[in-house]
């Protein structure tokens, strides 16, 4: 059996990939996807810990998180569309009307 | 019977409510009359209360309105307490306040109805807060009044807010006061933490009991705590009472209507700082270092303001500096432990300074807004009532024997001398010379000599509104005499509503001092014996509450630790001292006369000599005219850097510069190119995310380093 | 039935939200419908239910716990909701916001907030956080025609989901330590660790949970979204979210950090102290430079988060004055800030938001009553007696001093002194500057009633705070 730590490290790496994606990607939709990766990294932790402890709690929590992620994606995409209507661009650096 | 104590602040408050909410619909006579009536009623109730208090033993009345702030060990009831010290204060506030209200009826008569009501509503609100301030039996209650009077002062200074200078002056007063209040709050917190109470009497008793403790609060000894706490409180007092370094707001506050200057910025509010020290006399007595600071600041302020007063040309500004200077005297008295003398001077000062301000108001009123002394002169025969009453006020403040100012000022100087502060005494004496000089310079320039103003301009009809002119004239930068001035045909002396307060105050300025005739002159110094109990620990710390919750404190049982009586220098002068005192009195009488003589020489006889002197000591003259450049200093050292820090430093610097930089360092090291930093401008969502991530890194990094 | 008792207030609000949505669906074009009334009924019902539940300590399904603490927050939220509804009717119409969506989202947002305050399980806290956040994100972007609104909403959304990922990671670590997301079990697992260096996982959990909460309460350096979101959102939404989200987030913050994470106090106090100090300073100093009222109030809101954090840090079972401070402060801040922003919202029109400093010039002349009320709210924000703000700050600072956090108390007092400067700028504008001829719309009676209510609350809390303080004290005691 694969030790718990491996899962935790993998999820940590995934989380870091997601985080760096938020900074590095130049498209608002991919930035949102990066956040999805972060959430799924957390899901991995939940599942691994649940399995390690021998309960189903971890797996169930994952479903909740996935639901939340779906809702977030829906709202996020709607907002992206609203934003796109105004500027015709999806670069995160284009939207700096509100500052200081 | 004791419930009537409640009425004292409530009456003006009721007046405020009526004038604030329905004032616009009331005619002037109703709103003004109402405001005066509530003040007179409050005065009546005050007299009755003081009378009741005199009959009680010990002399104190309490009204307990139940818990106000209570949670855990913090128990602050809303309690009003009348003792000799607050008795003096409420009589001054309501008595002189009533006179000034009456005066305002005439002075503000030209304002439109709604403004008139607004004015009186502020004035009543002020009186109400001031009465809470002096009647509050603990720090928080006092603080309510303390902040409240600050707010009213701000509103009244900026009353003619269409004038930029008035609006600015109001703001300045408010902000400077806030700095002082900061000290008040911190001092209050420290006292609460150390002594576990905020009740003045409790604090006094506990302070005395624990004075010798080596570690009252953390590592600090009780004395150190009390020194810090009193210094903080003194910061608050200095803000309210315009002492160095927070004196800058008071002269500017003269932008407000003159009766306001008389009430708030001469007779009552500005003395709140003195009152605060008097109220906490026991605490201050245990902090000798603070007392030394208080005395030094007081005397320095007195001297500085006195010198500035010599060269000012605006009649109200001269009086303002004179107020600052006299407040300095009061702090000197407090600092040398002569609390009763300080309060005595506060009390006499209220009379003559209110009189002087109201007199100057009458002059300004008659001259349709003219405030520049250089454009006055020869008003003596046109404004006889104003002249004679003003002269009495000036004589009183100059310290001419047998008028009120003489007794109180001499008491302070004598106490300073006899407690061994010879140097402070010397400066006090010099200041007293300055006082006589600048006051009589003012009197001579305004009332004597030939007329230098054009009263017979005649372009404008008789019904021109004088007060409107004040706003108009003061708004124009040039001295407003000449063809466009629009003055009345003739000069009118004060109308009855203004004249009566002047006369009453003039009588007061003569006789008010006789409650404190010193022993050396065969008097009994009643006021000192009267006030004495307020500066000591209350004889009885046990409270009894009747079913109604009110009771005079009537038990004689002494539970308070009496082994350490507050070290007060207010001992009765032995016979040997009386001779010293007589000599000092002679000296200061001489000085008063000398000061008047100097003023007469320079202002009447040889006006050119004054100019020559100014020319000769040009640098000094400039320094004084510019008030020692304190405002400029503050602007350069405090105001500008804060602005700079705010706009340049944190706003753009941290949000934009620093965080951008950090982004480069932490979040985007992988990213190639140096153009990243340039492209990341604030407002960019990635900057924000980076800031968030920086927080995560800092928190987790902290744990990583620590464990 | 007992299992459902604790969620009754939440269900009532949810139902009224659904009713609002349906009402919109069945509305004929052009027909005016008092949808706000539905919200008011729902909120009144929830408030009533909360009062009936008082002292019952009801629990639902093991994850929702309506103890007095949650009920107190519920009541604060009901006050916030009622005031928002009272202001909304006119504003929604004037700014042409989609009414059904607006009311439904507001009510669902309140639902999420109530759930967050009552949640006894980290996962439920996360879900509640998302429910309220998603509602508020959409509300922020509700002015579809406005680019600023869309930009604000997206920034808020993106940073919000970013931070909730961190929060969720924290939940996962807490789950890893104790095998459960229930707060009590986490508490048990952590206190079982005993003294000594806590395990890495526990530290990670504390740190990441703190990040999630700090973001929602807009503490520095997680505050960057606040000014933008507050400025871009419709003013009425700004009013709602600045108070509601803060109250709910602080409720969960307090519950999680003082109850299960209490054993790790030595670990989180230094961090939160640093955050609180920086938050107060930055919020205040940057606020000074602002000329947009909403932005200024956003920085003020950041600074207030700092004061609230002091209250959280200075909380200990033995501290008398400190315990009630946070709850009292939240209530105070809610009525005060809602009042101030409500006035801004009521003065705005579709063309002119009326949120620049200069828009307030001469308000005293044209609208004396509004100017007077605004003054009261601003003075309360600045913490001047006899308003509620003074008492609230006083309690916070006293608590800090009693717990030995002198520096925080000093920074707090200093910054609140400085903050008066920018509140005063608005007052000066209103009274002491000649007005440009800004057209100012009519303020309906319902909104005036709301303002009167808020003013009355500001003075009531400022003059006679004892009763509410005792209530707050009794309610926070339930979470220890």
């Amino acid at each position: 059996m694969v030790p718990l730590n491996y899962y935790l490290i993998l999820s940590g790496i995934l989380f870091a990939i997601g985080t760096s994606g938020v900074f590095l990607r130049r498209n608002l939709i991919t930035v949102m996807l990066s956040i999805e990766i972060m959430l799924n990294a957390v899901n991995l932790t939940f599942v691994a810990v649940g399995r390690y402890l021998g309960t189903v709690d971890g797996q169930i929590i994952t479903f909740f998180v996935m639901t939340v992620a779906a809702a977030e994606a829906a709202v996020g995409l709607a907002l992206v569309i609203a934003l796109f209507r105004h500027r015709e661009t999806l670069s995160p650096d284009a939207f700096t009307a509100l500052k200081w | 019977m004791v419930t009537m104590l409640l009425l004292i602040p409530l009456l003006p408050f009721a007046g405020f409510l009526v004038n604030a909410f329905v004032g616009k619909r009331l005619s002037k006579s109703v709103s003004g009359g109402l405001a005066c009536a509530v003040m007179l009623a409050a005065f009546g109730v005050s007299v009755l209360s003081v009378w009741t208090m005199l009959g009680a033993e010990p002399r104190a009345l309490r009204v307990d309105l139940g818990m106000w702030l209570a949670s855990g060990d913090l128990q602050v009831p809303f309690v009003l307490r009348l003792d000799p010290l607050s008795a003096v204060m409420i009589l001054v506030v309501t008595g002189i306040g009533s006179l000034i209200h009456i005066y305002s009826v005439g002075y503000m008569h030209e304002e439109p109805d709604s403004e008139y009501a607004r004015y009186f509503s502020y004035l009543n609100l002020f009186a109400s807060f001031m009465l809470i301030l002096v009647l509050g039996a603990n720090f928080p209650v006092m603080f309510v009044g303390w902040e409240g009077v600050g707010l009213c002062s701000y509103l009244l200074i900026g009353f003619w807010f269409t004038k930029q200078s008035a609006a600015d002056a109001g703001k300045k007063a408010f902000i400077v006061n806030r700095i002082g209040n900061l000290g008040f709050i911190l001092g209050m917190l420290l006292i609460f933490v150390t002594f576990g109470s905020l009740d003045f009497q409790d604090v006094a008793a506990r302070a005395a009991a624990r004075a010798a403790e080596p570690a009252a609060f953390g590592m600090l000894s009780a004395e150190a705590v009390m020194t810090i706490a009193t210094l903080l409180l003194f910061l608050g007092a200095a803000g309210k009472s315009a002492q160095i370094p927070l004196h800058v707001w008071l002269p500017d506050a003269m932008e407000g209507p003159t009766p306001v200057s008389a009430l708030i910025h001469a007779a009552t509010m500005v003395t709140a700082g003195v009152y605060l020290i008097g109220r906490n006399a026991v605490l201050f007595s245990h902090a000798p270092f603070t007392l030394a600071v208080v005395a030094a600041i007081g005397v320095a302020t007195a001297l500085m303001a006195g010198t500035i007063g010599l060269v000012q040309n605006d009649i109200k500004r001269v009086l303002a500096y004179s107020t600052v200077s006299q407040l300095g005297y009061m702090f000197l008295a407090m600092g040398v432990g002569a609390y009763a003398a300080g309060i005595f001077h506060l009390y006499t000062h209220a009379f003559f300074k209110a009189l002087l301000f109201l007199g100057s108001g009458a002059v300004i009123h008659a001259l349709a807004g003219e405030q520049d002394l250089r454009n006055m002169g020869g008003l003596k025969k046109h404004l006889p009532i104003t002249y004679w009453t003003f002269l009495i006020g000036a004589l009183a403040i100059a310290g001419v024997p047998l008028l009120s100012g003489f007794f109180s000022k001499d008491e302070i100087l004598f106490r300073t001398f006899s407690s061994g502060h010879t140097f402070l005494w010397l400066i006090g004496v010099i200041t007293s010379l300055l006082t006589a000089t600048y006051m009589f310079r003012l009197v001579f320039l305004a009332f004597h000599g030939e007329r230098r103003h054009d009263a017979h301009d005649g372009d404008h009809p008789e019904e021109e509104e004088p007060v409107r002119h004040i706003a108009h004239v003061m708004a124009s930068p040039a001295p407003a005499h000449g063809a466009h001035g629009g003055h009345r045909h003739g000069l009118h002396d004060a109308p009855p509503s203004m004249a009566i307060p002047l006369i009453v105050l003039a009588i007061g300025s003569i006789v008010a001092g006789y409650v404190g005739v010193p022993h050396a002159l065969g008097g009994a110094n009643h006021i000192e014996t009267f006030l004495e109990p307020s500066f000591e620990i209350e004889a009885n710390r046990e409270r009894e509450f009747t079913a109604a919750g009110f009771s005079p404190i009537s038990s004689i049982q002494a539970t308070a630790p009496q082994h350490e009586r507050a070290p007060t220098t207010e001992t009765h002068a032995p016979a040997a001292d009386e001779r010293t005192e007589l000599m000092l009195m002679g000296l200061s009488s001489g000085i008063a006369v000398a000061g008047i003589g100097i003023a007469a020489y320079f202002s009447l006889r040889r006006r050119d000599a004054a100019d020559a002197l100014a020319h000769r000591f040009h640098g000094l003259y400039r320094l004084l005219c510019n008030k020692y450049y304190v405002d400029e200093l503050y602007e350069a050292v405090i105001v500008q850097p804060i602005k700079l820090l705010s706009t340049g430093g944190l706003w753009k610097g941290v949000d934009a510069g620093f965080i951008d930089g950090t982004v480069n360092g932490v979040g985007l090291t992988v990213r190639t190119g140096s153009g990243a930093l340039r492209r990341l401008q604030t407002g960019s969502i990635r900057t924000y995310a980076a800031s968030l991530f920086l927080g995560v890194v800092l928190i987790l990094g902290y744990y990583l380093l620590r464990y | 039935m007992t299992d459902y008792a604790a969620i009754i207030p939440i269900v009532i609000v949810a139902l009224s939200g659904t009713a609002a949505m349906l009402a919109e669906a069945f509305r004929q074009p052009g027909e005016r419908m008092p949808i706000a009334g539905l919200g008011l009924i729902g909120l009144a019902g929830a408030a009533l239910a909360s009062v009936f539940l008082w002292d019952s300590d009801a629990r639902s399904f093991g994850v929702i716990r309506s103890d007095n603490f949650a009920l107190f927050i519920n009541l604060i939220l009901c006050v916030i909701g009622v005031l928002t509804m009272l202001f909304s009717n006119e504003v929604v119409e004037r700014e042409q916001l989609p009414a059904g969506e607006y009311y439904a989202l507001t009510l669902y947002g309140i639902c999420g907030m109530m759930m967050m305050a009552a949640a006894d399980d980290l996962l439920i806290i996360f879900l509640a956080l998302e429910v309220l956040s998603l509602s508020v994100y959409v509300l922020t972007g509700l002015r579809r025609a406005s680019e600023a609104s869309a930009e604000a909403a997206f920034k808020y959304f993106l940073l919000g989901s970013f931070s909730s990922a961190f929060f969720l990671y924290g939940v996962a670590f807490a789950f890893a330590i104790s095998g459960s997301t229930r707060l009590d079990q986490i508490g048990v697992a952590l206190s079982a660790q005993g003294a000594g260096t806590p395990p890495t996982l526990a530290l990670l959990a504390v740190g990441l949970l703190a990040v999630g909460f700090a973001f929602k309460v807009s503490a520095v350096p997680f505050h960057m979204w606040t000014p933008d979101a507050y400025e871009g959102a419709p003013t009425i939404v700004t009013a709602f979210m600045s108070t509601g989200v803060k109250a709910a987030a602080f409720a969960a913050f307090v519950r999680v950090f003082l109850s299960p994470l209490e054993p790790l106090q030595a670990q989180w106090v230094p961090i939160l102290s640093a955050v609180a100090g920086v938050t107060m300073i930055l919020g205040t100093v940057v606020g000074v430079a602002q000329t947009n009222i909403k932005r200024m109030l956003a920085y003020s809101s950041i600074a207030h988060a700092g004061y609230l954090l002091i209250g959280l840090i200075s909380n200990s079972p033995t501290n008398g004055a400190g315990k009630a401070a946070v709850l009292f402060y939240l209530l105070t801040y809610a009525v005060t800030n809602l009042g101030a922003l409500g006035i801004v919202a009521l003065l705005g029109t579709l063309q002119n938001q009326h949120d620049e400093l200069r828009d307030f010039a001469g308000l005293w002349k044209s609208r004396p009553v509004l100017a007077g009320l605004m003054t009261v709210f601003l003075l309360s924000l600045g913490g001047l007696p006899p308003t509620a703000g003074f008492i609230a700050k006083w309690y916070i600072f006293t608590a800090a001093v009693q717990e030995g956090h002198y520096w925080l108390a000093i920074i707090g007092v200093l910054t609140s002194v400085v903050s008066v400067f920018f509140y005063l700028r608005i007052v000066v504008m209103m009274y002491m500057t000649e007005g440009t001829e800004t057209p100012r719309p009519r303020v309906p009676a319902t909104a005036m009633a709301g303002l009167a209510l808020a003013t009355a609350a500001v003075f009531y809390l400022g003059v006679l705070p004892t009763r509410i303080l005792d209530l707050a004290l009794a309610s926070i005691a339930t979470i220890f």
Side-chain angles (χ1 to χ4, degrees), chain B residues 451-616:
Chain B
R451 293 175 71 166
R452 297 182 296 279
H453 52 87
D454 349 76
H456 298 286
D457 202 36
D459 300 17
H460 292 266
E462 185 74 17
E463 60 271 21
E464 199 59 68
E465 301 170 346
V467 180
R468 282 279 135 141
H469 272 289
I470 295 176
H472 162 70
V473 168
M474 291 194 295
S476 62
H481 57 100
H484 63 284
H487 297 193
R488 290 185 166 207
H489 282 294
L491 291 170
H492 291 263
D493 205 350
S497 69
M498 288 162 67
I500 292 167
L502 287 178
I503 294 165
V504 175
L505 284 171
I507 296 169
S509 300
I510 298 172
V511 301
Y514 287 91
V515 296
V517 179
H519 297 281
L521 289 181
N525 210 343
H526 289 295
I527 189 150
E528 187 181 313
T529 6
F530 175 66
L531 284 169
E532 198 77 357
S534 289
F535 305 129
E536 290 169 2
I537 304 157
E538 200 177 33
N540 164 38
R541 301 290 316 122
E542 239 181 24
R543 289 177 197 141
E544 310 163 350
F545 298 111
T546 58
F550 316 118
S551 79
I553 297 154
S554 53
S555 165
I556 318 152
Q557 179 204 1
T559 55
Q562 287 287 311
H563 55 272
E564 178 141 11
R565 235 184 81 149
T568 155
T569 52
E570 306 259 344
T571 44
H572 294 297
D577 271 1
E578 288 195 2
R579 220 169 308 140
T580 329
E581 189 168 2
L582 278 177
M583 272 166 59
L584 293 180
M585 265 177 206
L587 179 68
S588 43
S589 312
I591 279 179
V593 176
I596 297 172
I598 295 173
Y601 178 74
F602 283 114
S603 317
L604 289 180
R605 196 64 68 77
R606 296 282 309 276
R607 297 241 315 143
D608 51 324
D611 295 338
L613 211 59
H615 196 69
R616 179 122 170 251

Side-chain angles (χ1 to χ4, degrees), chain C residues 382-398:
Chain C
L384 269 77
T387 58
F390 165 66
I391 304 284
K393 282 207 175 111
W394 162 258
Y395 269 95
I396 294 269
F397 298 151
T398 315

Side-chain angles (χ1 to χ4, degrees), chain B residues 336-665:
Chain B
V336 299
Y339 304 111
I343 299 294
F344 183 30
H345 194 56
L346 184 163
Y347 152 80
T348 55
H349 175 257
F351 282 95
F352 54 72
K353 189 49 67 68
L355 170 61
L356 289 170
F357 264 111
L358 296 186
S360 77
V363 170
I364 295 167
H365 197 255
L367 296 180
E370 180 59 75
Q371 297 199 13
D372 195 324
L373 285 173
R374 286 166 297 192
N375 301 322
M376 296 181 182
L379 296 173
K380 184 177 161 186
K381 52 175 190 296
H382 302 284
L383 311 172
I385 300 174
T386 311
Y387 170 68
W388 286 107
T389 52
F390 199 92
L391 186 66
I392 290 170
L395 288 170
I397 194 176
V400 168
L402 306 183
L403 277 81
S404 62
F406 168 75
F407 295 114
S408 55
K409 195 190 284 184
D410 260 15
E411 186 68 17
I412 293 177
L413 290 175
F414 171 65
R415 292 289 182 199
T416 311
F417 187 79
S418 64
S419 60
H421 299 89
T422 324
F423 181 67
L424 298 182
W425 171 82
L426 189 68
I427 300 179
V429 171
I430 295 171
T431 309
S432 131
L433 176 72
L434 292 174
T435 310
T437 311
Y438 65 68
M439 272 324 297
F440 274 84
R441 169 174 171 271
L442 192 159
V443 170
F444 293 140
L445 283 179
F447 293 99
H448 291 254
E450 72 263 27
R451 293 175 71 166
R452 297 182 296 279
H453 52 87
D454 349 76
H456 298 286
D457 202 36
D459 300 17
H460 292 266
E462 185 74 17
E463 60 271 21
E464 199 59 68
E465 301 170 346
V467 180
R468 282 279 135 141
H469 272 289
I470 295 176
H472 162 70
V473 168
M474 291 194 295
S476 62
H481 57 100
H484 63 284
H487 297 193
R488 290 185 166 207
H489 282 294
L491 291 170
H492 291 263
D493 205 350
S497 69
M498 288 162 67
I500 292 167
L502 287 178
I503 294 165
V504 175
L505 284 171
I507 296 169
S509 300
I510 298 172
V511 301
Y514 287 91
V515 296
V517 179
H519 297 281
L521 289 181
N525 210 343
H526 289 295
I527 189 150
E528 187 181 313
T529 6
F530 175 66
L531 284 169
E532 198 77 357
S534 289
F535 305 129
E536 290 169 2
I537 304 157
E538 200 177 33
N540 164 38
R541 301 290 316 122
E542 239 181 24
R543 289 177 197 141
E544 310 163 350
F545 298 111
T546 58
F550 316 118
S551 79
I553 297 154
S554 53
S555 165
I556 318 152
Q557 179 204 1
T559 55
Q562 287 287 311
H563 55 272
E564 178 141 11
R565 235 184 81 149
T568 155
T569 52
E570 306 259 344
T571 44
H572 294 297
D577 271 1
E578 288 195 2
R579 220 169 308 140
T580 329
E581 189 168 2
L582 278 177
M583 272 166 59
L584 293 180
M585 265 177 206
L587 179 68
S588 43
S589 312
I591 279 179
V593 176
I596 297 172
I598 295 173
Y601 178 74
F602 283 114
S603 317
L604 289 180
R605 196 64 68 77
R606 296 282 309 276
R607 297 241 315 143
D608 51 324
D611 295 338
L613 211 59
H615 196 69
R616 179 122 170 251
F617 297 100
H618 185 66
L620 184 65
Y621 182 70
R622 286 286 303 267
L623 188 68
L624 293 183
C625 281
N626 286 297
K627 304 153 233 163
Y628 295 98
Y629 295 101
V630 176
D631 277 326
E632 286 76 3
L633 184 74
Y634 286 176
E635 175 75 19
V637 178
I638 298 169
V639 179
Q640 288 302 337
I642 287 184
K643 275 191 188 162
L644 216 64
L645 185 70
S646 171
T647 53
L650 279 177
W651 180 29
K652 290 188 179 142
V654 171
D655 259 22
F658 173 68
I659 290 175
D660 283 1
T662 320
V663 166
N664 201 29

Side-chain angles (χ1 to χ4, degrees), chain B residues 24 67-74 115 118 122 129 140 143-144 147 151 154 158 161-162 167 171 174-175 178-179 182 185-186 188-189 192-193 198 217 645-647 650-651 654-655 659 683-685 687-689 691-693 695-696 699-700 702-703 706-707, chain C residues 155 158-159 162-163 166 197 203-204 206-207 211 215 221-224 228 267-268 270-271 285-286 288-290 299 320-321 364-365 368 379 382 384-385 390-391 394-395 398 401-402 406 413-414 416-417 420-421 424 427-428 431-432 434 462-463 465-466 470:
Chain B
K24 280 187 178 175
M67 266 313 147
W68 177 39
L69 311 174
S71 172
D73 28 352
L74 180 73
E115 297 297 281
R118 182 164 72 95
Y122 289 168
F129 274 127
F143 190 66
V144 168
E147 285 275 20
L151 181 68
Y154 163 67
F161 54 79
T162 43
K171 207 159 58 173
F174 197 76
I175 288 170
R178 286 295 292 184
I179 296 172
L182 172 74
I185 300 176
L186 291 177
M188 186 158 74
L189 283 175
F192 172 63
V193 176
L198 284 170
F217 179 70
L645 185 70
S646 171
T647 53
L650 279 177
W651 180 29
V654 171
D655 259 22
I659 290 175
S684 148
I685 194 159
T687 317
Y688 299 179
S691 164
L692 203 164
F693 189 62
V696 176
I699 291 181
L700 298 185
Y702 168 80
Y703 284 146
R706 232 185 109 189
Y707 298 103
Chain C
K155 279 179 174 169
L158 202 69
L159 295 167
F162 191 51
S163 81
F166 285 106
T197 308
L203 289 177
L204 282 172
V206 172
V211 169
F215 176 86
F222 314 102
H223 69 290
M224 301 280 269
D228 287 11
Q267 273 72 46
W268 56 258
I271 287 186
V285 175
V286 180
V288 170
Q290 301 303 319
Y299 281 107
W364 167 255
K365 282 273 184 241
L379 293 181
L384 269 77
F390 165 66
I391 304 284
W394 162 258
Y395 269 95
T398 315
V401 170
Q402 282 180 332
Y406 305 113
V413 174
L414 269 172
S416 52
V417 168
V420 172
F421 174 76
L424 207 64
V427 176
V428 169
Y431 289 89
M432 306 194 167
E434 283 300 320
V463 178
T466 312
D470 286 343

Side-chain angles (χ1 to χ4, degrees), chain C residues 190-255:
Chain C
L190 284 177
S191 28
Q193 305 280 346
T197 308
T200 320
L201 285 182
L203 289 177
L204 282 172
V206 172
L208 293 171
L209 290 175
V211 169
F213 286 125
F215 176 86
K216 278 294 160 200
V217 304
S218 56
V220 177
F222 314 102
H223 69 290
M224 301 280 269
W225 59 276
T226 317
D228 287 11
Y230 281 20
E231 187 185 347
T235 314
I236 186 73
V237 173
T238 309
F240 171 64
M241 70 181 178
S242 66
T243 51
V245 175
K246 194 157 268 174
F250 255 105
F253 207 160
V254 166
R255 192 190 281 277

